[in-house]
Amino acid sequence: MASDPQDIKQEPAVEKLLSRMPERIANSFSAEQLIHLKTAIGSREWGKHKIDFRGTFPIPFFKSRIYYVFLMGRNHRNLTRKEQVISALTVAGFITLFVIFSILFGLLALYLLKSALGINLFENFSLGIWTWFKTLWT
């Protein structure tokens, strides 16, 4: 640990932080406070992402530019209780949708197989799916 405030003030992260403050405030920090500020700034585990697209593009007829950021990666944060509930409900919803889709697709496949084999469960009744399916292939 640096004990001299001038040593810690030379570090790039601390220097950048202090440059954004009024000089009177920046000079009021002790070395210990600066070390803790550097630790807080430097512990950006959230700053590492698998996908990190950043850029800017100009706005026509204006001097300013718009920036965009698209980040994707594993969430390392501890979720709040509300976020855990939302996450669980989302997973349950996706599983439910997958099961419903799978059942409906399976029933459709069985119905088409039954129709292809010429099996009629009810006389003079048809859903019209087999006729529609045949028209796709002719």
Side-chain angles (χ1 to χ4, degrees):
M1 261 190 201
S3 58
D4 185 13
Q6 294 307 317
D7 292 341
I8 191 71
K9 284 185 179 182
Q10 302 304 318
E11 305 236 356
V14 175
E15 193 173 293
K16 187 173 182 179
L17 175 68
L18 294 177
S19 71
R20 294 180 180 172
M21 299 180 189
E23 189 174 314
R24 179 180 59 83
I25 303 295
N27 291 332
S28 68
F29 288 104
S30 69
E32 184 179 8
Q33 289 172 325
L34 291 173
I35 290 168
H36 287 289
L37 282 172
K38 179 184 178 246
T39 304
I41 294 168
S43 63
R44 292 182 9 155
E45 291 180 13
W46 50 267
K48 301 170 189 163
H49 298 91
K50 294 272 184 191
I51 298 174
D52 188 347
F53 293 116
R54 300 168 193 249
T56 61
F57 58 90
I59 302 173
F61 310 111
F62 289 98
K63 292 181 181 179
S64 60
R65 298 173 64 83
I66 291 183
Y67 72 91
Y68 61 90
V69 178
F70 180 76
L71 303 173
M72 188 178 291
R74 185 171 178 178
N75 187 3
H76 295 287
R77 299 178 301 132
N78 293 328
L79 298 178
T80 64
R81 178 78 175 143
K82 185 177 179 180
E83 289 172 328
Q84 289 174 346
V85 169
I86 291 171
S87 177
L89 289 174
T90 303
V91 169
F94 279 121
I95 290 172
T96 302
L97 287 174
F98 177 76
V99 168
I100 289 171
F101 177 77
S102 298
I103 289 171
L104 290 175
F105 186 76
L107 288 173
L108 176 64
L110 287 174
Y111 181 82
L112 291 174
L113 180 64
K114 172 203 76 75
S115 298
L117 294 174
I119 301 171
N120 289 328
L121 299 177
F122 303 105
E123 289 298 321
N124 299 321
F125 178 78
S126 174
L127 295 175
I129 297 172
W130 177 247
T131 308
W132 168 80
F133 186 74
K134 285 194 312 187
T135 59
L136 290 176
W137 299 102
T138 58

